[in-house]
Amino acid sequence: MIDLARATAVCAVADIPREGGVAALVDGVAVAVFRTHDGSVHAIGNVDPFSGASVLSRGIVGSRGTAPVVSSPMYKQAFDLRTGACLDDASVSVPSYDVSVVDGVVLVGGVR
Amino acid sequence: MTKRQRIVVVGHGMVGHRFAQAAVERGLTETHDVVVFGEEPRAAYDRVGLTSWFGHPDGAEGLSLLPGGVYDDPRVRLVLDSVVTEIDRAARTVTVVSPPSAGSRDGRQGALLDQRGEPGAVTVHDYDVLVLATGAAPFVPPVEGRGKDGCFVYRTIEDLEAIKAASETATSGVVIGGGLLGLEAANALVQLGLDTHVVEMAPRLMPVQLDDAAGVTLVRHVEKLGVKVHTAVLTEEIEGDSSVTGLRMRQAGTEEGAPTEVVEAQVVVFSAGIRPRDALARECDLETAARGGVLVDEQCRTADPHVFAIGECAAPGGTMYGLVAPGYAMAEVVVDALLDGPGTFTGADMSTKLKLLGVDVASFGDAFATTDGALELTYADAVSGVYKKLVVAESEAGDGSFRLLGGILVGDASAYGTLRPMVSSGLALPDNPEQLILPASSGVQLGMPDEAQVCSCNDVTKADILHAVAEQGCESVADVKQCTRAGTTCGSCVPTVKNLVEEHFASVGKVVDKGLCEHFRLTRQELFDVVAVHGYRRFDDIVEAHGTGRGCDVCKPAIASILASQTSTHILEPVTAELQDTNDKYLGNIQRNGTYSVVPRIPGGEITPEKLIVIGEVARDYGLYTKITGGQRIDLFGARMEQLPAIWKRLVDAGFESGHAYGKSLRTVKSCVGSTWCRFGVQDSVGLAIALELRYRGLRSPHKLKGGVSGCARECAEARGKDFGVIATEKGWNLYVGGNGGATPAHARLLAGDLDTETLVSYLDRFLMYYVRTADRLQRTSTWIEQLEGGLERVREVVVDDSLGLGAELEAEMARHVGGYADEWAATLADPAKLERFVSFVNAPDTPDPTIAFTTERDQIQPIAPALIPVGAPA
């Protein structure tokens, strides 16, 4: 569960396009925050482990099977928005963060 | 572990190349190193398709069988421009001379083997196995005057270059020899605009393949194309002082001194047959056949067990084969022998099918009915110029049925694909075999046996093709071509291959899945139609009605592109913004460290000094790396995402707009300076390039698009390497389509010639819109044309002949695109909502991305690989 006292308020949920993402700075670290089509919000690390560039928030959000995913804008690997797991390479993942929406504000907590 | 063996291949023609390719594919390179010495300056090319080199001066690459000149397997080394001058069989070495420079020698006639003693680098190479693939040289009969300027042979690209150069000042040309190659050469002279004659000693054209009636039919076709045919004549002398002025001939069968006739000509092309190039073998005392060619056994091995010979320089069992298919078969046999396989070469199918000067001609099997008991069935229609003959014999089964031995087809060779496999299979003919050659013989259905050879060039049977589709996962003709090589040489069997593939899938009830991705079972073309018919404007509506899930990086950009093609709304409108790939989403090109490059449009490459200065100032002020691109533009690298709007503003204020370097859209229309400045230019290529670039800018398409306009045939804009290329002629413009660079380069081919500007633009409108409508996702124009049923001919029907009546509609669609164009950078700058996304961090918009760092090289920034920076650590 998210520790509200230590969470960072990053933006209004309306600031994140539906099926889009934004990058936020949380304790000096770049986090990609996404809103899926059903309105749920997810946060994973922003750095694409395959290129090292901080760009995952700019990827295309969609689905693979039942998993909500973002595909990296660099080399197109898909990451599960819920866990940060790379679905194209089981040995790779990015951190996933606790995230919550309170009064229309997106709060990002610690690494899960 | 045994020592690796070394194979030296002498000659890199089609057959030498096939050997190397087979050695790689069949695992011979696991145990052997292969070194191939080729004497021509370029890697093997399609000599069968040599004539198609004309019309494009850079066309050699288009014919290449090994674009790039390097094999995928590092154990195969190709050394070009090198002549093997000697074989020492005792020492098992070859001596190789590499000329001091490529331009210092006469590349014609393949006479290099005789050029001993020329200064050059001489090296000696060991071999364990030697494979001679030296091919054949054109035979030049001992006609008086044959050494005069203006006399040529027809064998290499250099020959063609020389013929082309000579034709620039000539008006008339003669080809000596009316065989296959002679007619090819005549075709070339016609294309070069010469008044063309063909001189043949025999009483008919193609005497080896055709009978008298077929020959007469062919003459009628050929003469209709403006070629004057002289049969049953002997060449007495090539006239002229040092240069050719004409050719004197007399009737065959008359005595010397009989009346002669002179044909005026400044170009003479000898095409009187070929002779095996077996000199190297002779000089090292290998036995040759009576009529030339290195004598080899059924494994293509000479009397020396370490030496093989394949292709036209070889004579298996004493017979030399002057076609590529038997050469390919020999190459495979030798690879097989070296792998201790059972393969043998026991003769070859000498069938030929050609489209000579646009006339279908085919000859196969026992075309002259030489088999005992052979009967002939003929059909001739002198009015339409069709002649067909079947040679049949009563079946040995004694059941009264007939089998097919061979045949000749002139004027309509559509039955060839069905008939030729019947010869090799020995299948019984239907009860009324005449149906096979009568017009509209569609009533007869023919089952083809599995062992029937479908592709004779590459020896691919029906069973091989079925195996490819049933077992190897091939789903299309293109897959089958790649997998089996069927249809990749002369292409005449492609329709048969296509039928087999379709029949197979129909028989197993399988619908081939051409869907875009897991979310859509539709192809891009189907989606395009669905969107057009329903008038969809939102991804959500489309995926709900026709797909599943929430889309992905494949279907979303494809749908964004389709919507952009059908509407003129800005691509960053909320309904489509999240469908865009990062480049379209930020209207720049993402680079390896997450920064973007910015490319302003410079139509036709023409730019004022003022504008150049602005680009320089912007680059300087933002510390951007600048590079001139291959497409006549200036690329500014290293812009952080949040800097993009400010950079665009400076550029837009100075009169620039987006160059769409990011989109699957029109990139540039390259040009040379044309008639305005160039002393050779015949039309204003810059003016046209600018007009075309401005017309098609922003057009979203299945793949990126490029164009080019050259002001004369020198083709300095390299227009034929583009999706559409325009080359100026004295009379107007020639329009070429379907070229591209990239990983699989393709040369554009002529769609229509000598067009006025208005017609050119209307054809281009139609062509581009037809492509946008019907191509697959990420399918370039070259592959689109190739995979379109009917190929380039189909495109021509739709675009030029307007056979579908679509012309006006396609033009109207383009007019809508042109009318609705707005600069995406300027529109983004004018819309605060669209600018909101251009921030580094949503909660810290002024903090730059700490992972981006640069170093300096050659006075400009270069990215430091971001992976070197610990993830998450501030810089």
Side-chain angles (χ1 to χ4, degrees):
Chain A
M1 272 284 86
I2 190 162
D3 178 354
L4 290 176
R6 298 189 52 197
T8 306
V10 296
C11 62
V13 70
D15 291 340
I16 312 174
R18 195 173 282 263
E19 292 201 312
V22 296
L25 210 51
V26 178
D27 296 333
V29 174
V31 175
V33 188
F34 300 95
R35 183 153 67 122
T36 51
H37 188 253
D38 62 10
S40 49
V41 175
H42 303 275
I44 62 174
N46 196 43
V47 174
D48 166 29
F50 295 94
S51 63
S54 185
V55 294
L56 287 187
S57 63
R58 304 177 209 165
I60 288 177
V61 175
S63 65
R64 183 176 292 186
T66 55
V69 298
V70 63
S71 69
S72 166
M74 283 300 191
Y75 305 117
K76 312 295 180 191
Q77 290 90 353
F79 294 86
D80 190 325
L81 294 180
R82 301 166 303 188
T83 62
C86 175
L87 300 183
D88 293 305
D89 185 342
S91 69
V92 174
S93 66
V94 296
S96 92
Y97 293 83
D98 286 326
V99 63
S100 174
V101 179
V102 177
D103 293 337
V105 173
V106 178
L107 302 171
V108 176
V111 174
R112 270 192 261 213
Chain B
M1 197 178 141
T2 50
K3 180 181 157 287
R4 288 180 63 77
Q5 301 271 300
R6 181 179 233 229
I7 303 171
V8 167
V9 181
V10 186
H12 196 245
M14 297 178 81
V15 171
H17 168 65
R18 169 54 71 91
F19 175 83
Q21 211 179 14
V24 174
E25 283 169 13
R26 296 178 58 190
L28 186 58
T29 53
E30 299 298 323
T31 49
H32 291 68
D33 292 317
V34 180
V35 185
V36 188
F37 292 104
E39 66 184 20
E40 289 189 50
R42 52 177 67 81
Y45 50 88
D46 179 9
R47 231 183 271 282
V48 178
L50 201 56
T51 306
S52 67
W53 174 86
F54 279 103
H56 47 96
D58 298 332
E61 270 295 289
L63 290 177
S64 184
L65 299 176
L66 188 66
V70 178
Y71 285 94
D72 277 343
D73 188 331
R75 296 165 297 197
V76 181
R77 193 158 63 91
L78 172 62
V79 186
L80 293 174
D81 228 347
S82 292
V83 182
V84 173
T85 54
E86 200 178 328
I87 298 168
D88 183 337
R89 290 203 283 127
R92 279 190 227 151
T93 60
V94 293
T95 305
V96 179
V97 176
S98 310
S101 73
S104 68
R105 58 173 172 71
D106 176 7
R108 279 187 290 145
Q109 288 208 29
L112 282 170
L113 284 180
D114 304 319
Q115 295 189 353
R116 304 288 168 83
E118 215 186 56
V122 177
T123 47
V124 176
H125 303 258
D126 296 331
Y127 66 80
D128 297 296
V129 175
L130 182 67
V131 178
L132 299 173
T134 46
F139 169 64
V140 178
V143 176
E144 202 175 318
R146 63 180 169 157
K148 291 185 174 140
D149 285 349
C151 288
F152 302 95
V153 294
Y154 199 82
R155 185 71 179 169
T156 65
I157 288 176
E158 281 71 24
D159 293 332
L160 270 62
E161 284 171 347
I163 292 170
K164 185 167 191 275
S167 297
E168 278 170 17
T169 54
T171 55
S172 176
V174 184
V175 176
I176 299 181
L180 282 177
L181 203 63
L183 292 175
E184 274 289 323
N187 188 9
L189 296 190
V190 169
Q191 287 184 35
L192 288 169
L194 298 191
D195 190 17
T196 304
H197 299 258
V198 170
V199 176
E200 168 60 49
M201 206 160 58
R204 60 177 183 268
L205 291 179
M206 291 178 68
V208 181
Q209 292 87 5
L210 301 187
D211 59 17
D212 282 335
V216 167
T217 311
L218 181 59
V219 166
R220 284 171 48 88
H221 279 288
V222 170
E223 287 188 334
K224 247 186 257 172
L225 296 156
V227 176
K228 290 162 199 73
V229 179
H230 310 262
T231 51
V233 294
L234 299 172
T235 303
E236 279 218 321
E237 188 191 348
I238 313 250
E239 298 192 323
D241 293 334
S242 62
S243 300
V244 175
T245 57
L247 179 138
R248 191 153 51 79
M249 58 193 184
R250 69 176 149 89
Q251 275 297 306
T254 55
E255 295 294 319
E256 225 167 306
T260 57
E261 190 192 340
V262 175
V263 176
E264 182 211 325
Q266 299 79 40
V267 169
V268 171
V269 179
F270 284 97
S271 179
I274 53 171
R275 293 290 181 268
R277 292 180 55 192
D278 52 14
L280 269 179
R282 284 174 197 276
E283 284 160 20
C284 66
D285 296 326
L286 285 168
E287 202 181 341
T288 51
R291 302 181 62 187
V294 187
L295 264 182
V296 292
D297 65 11
E298 289 189 345
Q299 287 196 311
C300 295
R301 205 186 287 261
T302 65
D304 178 338
H306 298 279
V307 183
F308 294 81
I310 55 177
E312 290 174 345
C313 70
T319 307
M320 180 257 191
Y321 296 86
L323 290 175
V324 73
Y328 279 179
M330 289 182 228
E332 299 278 353
V333 163
V334 174
V335 171
D336 205 55
L338 295 170
L339 289 166
D340 295 325
T344 54
F345 181 86
T346 52
D349 180 3
M350 297 299 281
S351 304
T352 40
K353 175 177 182 253
L354 294 154
K355 211 172 180 75
L356 290 162
L357 298 139
V359 186
D360 272 348
V361 181
S363 166
F364 55 97
D366 181 10
F368 292 99
T370 56
T371 311
D372 281 347
L375 300 171
E376 295 186 7
L377 275 168
T378 56
Y379 167 81
D381 176 352
V383 177
S384 59
V386 173
Y387 173 81
K388 301 182 194 180
K389 176 170 92 172
L390 295 185
V391 178
V392 301
E394 209 162 335
S395 174
E396 284 153 14
D399 56 3
S401 66
F402 283 86
R403 63 198 171 87
L404 186 64
L405 298 178
I408 293 173
L409 306 167
V410 177
D412 171 14
S414 56
Y416 177 78
T418 312
L419 294 173
R420 201 195 44 73
M422 296 178 70
V423 175
S424 48
S425 68
L427 187 77
L429 285 169
D431 286 343
N432 33 3
E434 70 280 4
Q435 289 294 332
L436 292 167
I437 50 173
L438 290 176
S441 63
S442 56
V444 184
Q445 289 293 323
L446 287 161
M448 202 187 281
D450 281 356
E451 61 275 13
Q453 192 190 40
V454 174
C455 172
S456 56
C457 299
N458 295 284
D459 188 21
V460 183
T461 62
K462 177 182 171 187
D464 295 332
I465 289 166
L466 293 184
H467 180 73
V469 284
E471 313 290 336
Q472 295 173 283
C474 293
E475 297 200 332
S476 64
V477 175
D479 290 349
V480 171
K481 283 167 90 170
Q482 195 162 28
C483 193
T484 65
R485 277 205 287 259
T488 55
T489 304
C490 79
S492 66
C493 65
V494 171
T496 313
V497 174
K498 184 164 182 293
N499 286 341
L500 288 173
V501 172
E502 284 170 359
E503 256 174 42
H504 170 77
F505 285 116
S507 73
V508 297
K510 185 183 169 198
V511 180
V512 180
D513 186 7
K514 289 178 176 163
L516 270 186
C517 60
E518 69 169 82
H519 307 103
F520 287 95
R521 306 303 301 268
L522 305 176
T523 63
R524 180 186 175 278
Q525 181 183 358
E526 288 163 341
L527 264 175
F528 192 99
D529 292 341
V530 160
V531 171
V533 168
H534 293 272
Y536 293 125
R537 292 294 174 262
R538 288 156 29 98
F539 174 80
D540 289 2
D541 298 334
I542 302 168
V543 77
E544 263 163 40
H546 305 280
T548 56
R550 287 306 310 165
C552 64
D553 59 301
V554 171
C555 58
K556 281 187 166 176
I559 285 175
S561 165
I562 289 169
L563 290 172
S565 302
Q566 297 187 13
T567 66
S568 293
T569 46
H570 192 278
I571 64 167
L572 297 185
E573 286 302 319
V575 288
T576 51
E578 300 309 325
L579 306 177
Q580 309 293 351
D581 243 329
T582 187
N583 288 1
D584 277 304
K585 202 165 178 176
Y586 294 95
L587 309 177
N589 289 36
I590 197 167
Q591 304 297 343
R592 56 185 308 148
N593 60 351
T595 62
Y596 289 80
S597 67
V598 175
V599 186
R601 182 170 302 292
I602 301 177
E606 184 180 84
I607 186 165
T608 61
E610 278 309 316
K611 281 189 161 177
L612 267 178
I613 289 166
V614 170
I615 290 181
E617 285 175 347
V618 169
R620 182 195 60 208
D621 294 353
Y622 285 88
L624 305 176
Y625 168 82
T626 52
K627 176 159 191 337
I628 311 285
T629 71
Q632 299 188 330
R633 304 190 291 191
I634 301 170
D635 211 342
L636 312 173
F637 288 82
R640 296 166 190 276
M641 185 248 273
E642 65 273 18
Q643 294 176 319
L644 291 171
I647 291 170
W648 297 336
K649 177 145 196 338
R650 290 268 300 270
L651 293 168
V652 168
D653 286 348
F656 287 105
E657 58 180 31
S658 167
H660 290 97
Y662 44 87
K664 297 290 177 246
S665 53
L666 179 85
R667 297 293 175 83
T668 65
V669 180
K670 198 177 173 188
S671 75
C672 64
V673 291
S675 56
T676 352
W677 288 93
C678 175
R679 66 201 162 105
F680 298 114
V682 294
Q683 306 277 356
D684 175 15
S685 57
V686 183
L688 183 69
I690 293 171
L692 294 179
E693 182 161 343
L694 295 181
R695 182 168 182 80
Y696 302 124
R697 64 188 162 176
L699 179 69
R700 291 301 199 281
S701 45
H703 203 289
K704 66 180 173 188
L705 277 173
K706 291 181 182 177
V709 182
S710 277
C712 77
R714 283 175 179 74
E715 245 286 69
C716 296
E718 293 161 337
R720 294 199 58 196
K722 311 292 183 206
D723 297 279
F724 59 92
V726 182
I727 301 176
T729 69
E730 298 282 352
K731 296 175 213 153
W733 307 103
N734 281 351
L735 173 58
Y736 297 82
V737 293
N740 59 253
T744 316
H747 237 108
R749 290 181 289 159
L750 186 67
L751 185 71
D754 293 332
L755 305 172
D756 59 60
T757 307
E758 193 187 343
T759 311
L760 172 83
V761 170
S762 72
Y763 285 178
L764 263 175
D765 283 2
R766 293 175 186 186
F767 170 76
L768 291 173
M769 265 303 164
Y770 186 39
Y771 165 65
V772 166
R773 267 196 184 187
T774 62
D776 261 339
R777 172 184 166 267
L778 299 186
Q779 191 175 36
R780 304 193 83 124
T781 52
S782 55
T783 36
W784 169 68
I785 293 172
E786 191 183 310
Q787 295 190 1
L788 205 62
E789 198 168 323
L792 181 67
E793 203 43 54
R794 179 62 177 165
V795 175
R796 191 174 291 127
E797 283 167 18
V798 173
V799 170
V800 179
D801 307 335
D802 198 10
S803 64
L804 296 182
L806 269 179
E809 188 181 327
L810 296 171
E811 286 176 43
E813 270 179 53
M814 188 61 82
R816 191 191 49 67
H817 163 77
V818 173
Y821 173 80
D823 174 37
E824 285 165 0
W825 285 353
T828 305
L829 291 171
D831 184 344
K834 292 194 177 74
L835 288 173
E836 274 176 13
R837 78 169 68 244
F838 292 88
V839 293
S840 56
F841 297 105
V842 68
N843 58 340
D846 300 324
T847 308
D849 175 356
T851 65
I852 297 171
F854 298 101
T855 178
T856 304
E857 217 174 304
R858 294 184 296 277
D859 304 328
Q860 295 204 74
I861 60 160
Q862 304 266 287
I864 294 178
L868 300 178
I869 299 168
V871 171

